[in-house]
Amino acid sequence: MSKLSETLKDIRRRVDDMLDKLLPLPVGPEKQVVEAMRYATIGGGKALRPFLLMMTASMFGVSKEDSLRVATALEMLHSYSLIHDDLPCMDNDDLRRGKASCHKKFDEATAILAGDGLLTRAFEIIGSEKSWVDPVVRCELVVALANAAGFHGMVGGQMLDLLAEKEEIDLPLTEVIRLEGMKTGRLLIFACEAGAILGKASFEERQALKTYASDLGLAFQITDDILDIEGTVEKVGKTLRKDVKANKATYVSLVGVDAAKQKAKELIQHAIDALAPFEERALPLKELALFILTRDH
Amino acid sequence: MSKLSETLKDIRRRVDDMLDKLLPLPVGPEKQVVEAMRYATIGGGKALRPFLLMMTASMFGVSKEDSLRVATALEMLHSYSLIHDDLPCMDNDDLRRGKASCHKKFDEATAILAGDGLLTRAFEIIGSEKSWVDPVVRCELVVALANAAGFHGMVGGQMLDLLAEKEEIDLPLTEVIRLEGMKTGRLLIFACEAGAILGKASFEERQALKTYASDLGLAFQITDDILDIEGTVEKVGKTLRKDVKANKATYVSLVGVDAAKQKAKELIQHAIDALAPFEERALPLKELALFILTRDH
């Protein structure tokens, strides 16, 4: 097993343990919503965002133990967005991370509430002094995360995506790139930014990490689009060929698979170049970037 | 016009002005979600929670100007819960605050995203130094609000409510009271608590205000149930007789209208008693409590 996949597994395990602690089942019948919150988070996915946050923080001497709660909150927030995106009135997806999506396993109302609960809980955890001592840092994280997740970011990106899917708007390439930046890029940038905030990185260091995360985000989205076309449902764990069927404008549909693969390579090279000032310390981030290019899930 | 209704109007106007500032329309097509966020917040309802927050804060010398941003964030959070509660898979309500509910005016997906956006924006605003200088206070507010809104509070209460509505669980009176405490009470308690936090109230003062808000919350819910039976849709501005039709267990359905009215009176008296230590300073809170008993909307 490569060093990268070992680290990814280790972080996934740590995040799962923390999710288990932070999402305790209540005694009353309302426990159903917490069951749904646990179902949609624990053991699901590659924990890419926690990895980025924790590995960035560790570049500045912050231990995995110390960044774990904030990283887990970020994973909760990411999972909320997947639950709501999968709903019948949104992307209507029955499969997520290799199992039934939350509204299929439970029901729509429970899924909406589970998403609401995870979004809310993420802010509760980041605001808590158990997660980080300095309240200035906690507030900075709350504001940055909310900004990345709100109508300037993820929520706005999903709105654009829905309008494009219903063909109420026609997206040129620049708008597709902007959409993906809002929907996916902003939260990946936050992951690195949060690590940098925890590590008290300098302004220049933060800028370099933002460049890395921004390029990584678009490359990730392009490879995601390619997997939608070339992947297998067993490996990817979600419904495929949806974009093609929906005749949806994506980076890949607009420029073609070959040009998209070339673009992804360039973006990853550019992302890696941005890490140069950190030298050896940035090795995990570099390895992750290279993994994005070759991933099959 | 009474002093109370003047103050309520004044606060509603201030909150509307602040909502207008804090929810600026983006240029791109994603502005649709912000239009929905504005539709569901500006000019809607009595702004009871901002009133409680601002009037409590003012008891400790905090000006309305200084508490306005936090109060507006609270109103955003409350409005998010109404949007999601009204969805077809939840309470399926087409009418809210005298106009089409958000998913009827826009569509389900936009309504879900508008709710998500408001919830997220509420935390962004409370975390911001523009809202309050001391970061310790901001973090305390983030955590207290998230706790009141999450699965221990509002989200858990709505889950219970849905299960009861689908008759998957049978609620005795104690559970109905617990449900209402989670679904409505916790956020009203937060409103007073937040005012007390901003005003650096003592532990005893905070406890007294929590007692007031807790009793007020249950009384408010009981009068709401009574309005559902005795009110007119023109005044109340939402669909009525829903609980009766759904054969839903409410405080009123379990003890009858007369006993419920008596209970509401006792709760309001108890709420007012809790304000005794504050003497004249608590006059606005006292007036509000009395208004709850006689309200017709």
Side-chain angles (χ1 to χ4, degrees):
Chain A
M1 199 159 57
S2 74
K3 184 81 175 67
L4 175 71
S5 59
E6 259 178 61
T7 311
L8 279 165
K9 269 200 167 177
D10 172 56
I11 286 177
R12 179 75 254 176
R13 192 187 47 74
R14 286 170 190 259
V15 168
D16 283 342
D17 288 349
M18 188 51 79
L19 285 166
D20 182 52
K21 263 189 218 163
L22 294 175
L23 299 173
L25 280 182
V27 177
E30 71 272 22
K31 69 167 182 271
Q32 180 170 312
V33 70
V34 184
E35 283 165 350
M37 291 162 77
R38 295 172 63 92
Y39 175 81
T41 51
I42 296 174
K46 292 179 285 291
L48 208 62
R49 289 152 194 81
F51 174 93
L52 285 173
L53 192 153
M54 291 167 81
M55 289 297 100
T56 304
S58 78
M59 285 166 53
F60 303 97
V62 178
S63 73
K64 284 183 189 168
E65 288 72 23
D66 285 346
S67 59
L68 180 58
R69 284 177 62 111
V70 177
T72 305
L74 174 58
E75 185 63 12
M76 286 184 192
L77 192 133
H78 171 57
S79 302
Y80 124 75
S81 76
L82 299 181
I83 298 173
H84 282 193
D85 283 1
D86 283 344
L87 288 166
C89 69
M90 301 260 195
D91 302 343
N92 192 22
D93 224 319
D94 293 353
L95 191 64
R96 170 65 69 180
R97 292 170 164 175
K99 56 185 189 179
S101 50
C102 193
H103 67 274
K104 290 303 279 186
K105 174 76 178 177
F106 297 86
D107 55 39
E108 271 183 67
T110 305
I112 292 173
L113 287 174
D116 294 346
L118 286 170
L119 174 56
T120 306
R121 186 76 172 136
F123 288 111
E124 185 174 11
I125 288 157
I126 292 179
S128 160
E129 61 186 344
K130 283 186 201 158
S131 301
W132 199 258
V133 173
D134 184 350
V136 177
V137 167
R138 278 181 271 147
C139 283
E140 194 176 351
L141 290 172
V142 164
V143 172
L145 178 57
N147 195 271
F151 64 85
H152 295 298
M154 235 166 55
V155 162
Q158 178 66 4
M159 184 76 252
L160 268 178
D161 209 7
L162 286 166
L163 292 170
E165 214 157 293
K166 290 198 295 175
E167 296 176 69
E168 289 184 13
I169 51 170
D170 227 356
L171 295 184
L173 192 59
T174 50
E175 277 291 282
V176 168
I177 293 172
R178 190 171 78 90
L179 184 163
E180 299 300 359
M182 291 169 80
K183 194 172 163 172
T184 311
R186 287 293 311 273
L187 208 60
L188 293 174
I189 293 173
F190 171 80
C192 289
E193 204 183 356
I197 291 171
L198 294 180
K200 299 194 188 306
S202 70
F203 178 77
E204 289 74 19
E205 288 166 331
R206 282 172 71 156
Q207 289 309 109
L209 288 161
K210 278 180 161 181
T211 302
Y212 163 81
S214 172
D215 290 335
L216 186 82
L218 185 54
F220 184 79
Q221 198 51 54
I222 291 174
T223 56
D224 212 59
D225 293 344
I226 294 173
L227 280 177
D228 187 67
I229 297 170
E230 299 185 344
T232 67
V233 71
E234 293 72 29
K235 289 233 172 196
V236 184
K238 60 182 179 183
T239 315
L240 297 178
R241 331 278 179 250
K242 284 195 68 173
D243 295 348
V244 179
K245 275 183 208 151
N247 206 9
K248 196 172 133 182
T250 67
Y251 196 95
V252 176
S253 78
L254 289 176
V255 308
V257 172
D258 290 342
K261 282 184 177 170
Q262 183 55 35
K263 178 71 179 179
K265 263 187 211 163
E266 286 167 21
L267 285 163
I268 290 299
Q269 190 53 52
H270 194 235
I272 290 172
D273 290 346
L275 298 173
F278 304 109
E279 299 176 358
E280 287 305 291
R281 288 187 294 154
L283 204 59
L285 297 193
K286 188 181 160 185
E287 283 177 343
L288 184 78
L290 291 170
F291 161 74
I292 296 296
L293 270 190
T294 56
R295 75 197 184 108
D296 59 0
H297 64 288
Chain B
M1 197 161 58
S2 76
K3 183 83 175 69
L4 175 70
S5 58
E6 258 176 63
T7 312
L8 278 166
K9 269 203 169 175
D10 172 55
I11 287 178
R12 179 75 252 175
R13 191 186 48 74
R14 287 170 190 260
V15 168
D16 284 342
D17 288 348
M18 188 51 80
L19 285 166
D20 182 52
K21 263 188 218 165
L22 295 175
L23 300 173
L25 279 183
V27 176
E30 72 272 23
K31 69 168 183 273
Q32 181 170 311
V33 70
V34 183
E35 282 165 352
M37 290 162 78
R38 295 172 62 93
Y39 175 81
T41 51
I42 296 173
K46 292 181 284 292
L48 208 61
R49 289 152 194 82
F51 175 94
L52 285 172
L53 192 152
M54 290 167 81
M55 289 298 102
T56 304
S58 78
M59 285 166 55
F60 303 97
V62 177
S63 72
K64 284 184 191 167
E65 286 73 21
D66 285 345
S67 59
L68 179 58
R69 283 178 62 111
V70 177
T72 305
L74 174 58
E75 184 64 11
M76 284 184 194
L77 193 133
H78 171 58
S79 301
Y80 125 75
S81 76
L82 300 180
I83 297 174
H84 282 193
D85 283 2
D86 284 343
L87 288 166
C89 70
M90 301 260 195
D91 302 343
N92 192 20
D93 223 320
D94 294 352
L95 192 64
R96 170 66 67 181
R97 292 170 163 173
K99 56 184 188 179
S101 49
C102 193
H103 66 275
K104 290 302 279 185
K105 175 75 179 175
F106 297 87
D107 54 40
E108 272 183 67
T110 304
I112 292 173
L113 287 174
D116 294 345
L118 285 169
L119 174 55
T120 306
R121 186 76 173 136
F123 288 111
E124 185 174 10
I125 288 157
I126 292 179
S128 160
E129 62 187 343
K130 281 187 202 159
S131 301
W132 198 259
V133 172
D134 185 350
V136 177
V137 167
R138 279 181 271 148
C139 283
E140 194 175 351
L141 292 171
V142 164
V143 172
L145 178 57
N147 196 271
F151 64 85
H152 295 299
M154 234 166 55
V155 162
Q158 177 66 3
M159 183 79 251
L160 269 177
D161 209 8
L162 285 167
L163 292 170
E165 214 157 289
K166 290 198 297 177
E167 295 178 70
E168 290 184 10
I169 52 171
D170 228 357
L171 296 182
L173 191 58
T174 50
E175 277 290 282
V176 167
I177 293 172
R178 190 171 77 89
L179 184 163
E180 298 300 358
M182 291 169 80
K183 195 173 160 170
T184 312
R186 287 292 309 275
L187 208 61
L188 293 174
I189 293 173
F190 170 81
C192 289
E193 206 183 354
I197 291 171
L198 294 180
K200 299 194 185 307
S202 70
F203 177 77
E204 289 73 20
E205 288 167 331
R206 282 172 70 154
Q207 289 309 109
L209 287 161
K210 277 179 163 184
T211 303
Y212 162 81
S214 173
D215 290 334
L216 186 82
L218 186 54
F220 184 79
Q221 197 52 53
I222 291 174
T223 55
D224 211 58
D225 293 344
I226 295 173
L227 280 179
D228 186 66
I229 297 168
E230 299 185 345
T232 65
V233 71
E234 291 72 28
K235 288 232 172 199
V236 184
K238 59 182 179 183
T239 315
L240 297 177
R241 330 281 179 247
K242 283 197 69 174
D243 294 349
V244 178
K245 275 184 208 151
N247 204 12
K248 194 171 134 182
T250 67
Y251 196 96
V252 176
S253 77
L254 290 174
V255 308
V257 171
D258 290 344
K261 282 185 177 170
Q262 183 55 36
K263 177 70 180 180
K265 263 188 211 162
E266 288 166 22
L267 284 164
I268 290 299
Q269 189 52 54
H270 194 235
I272 290 171
D273 290 347
L275 298 174
F278 305 109
E279 299 176 355
E280 287 306 292
R281 286 187 295 154
L283 204 59
L285 297 193
K286 188 180 163 185
E287 283 178 343
L288 183 78
L290 291 170
F291 160 74
I292 296 294
L293 271 189
T294 55
R295 75 197 182 106
D296 59 359
H297 65 288

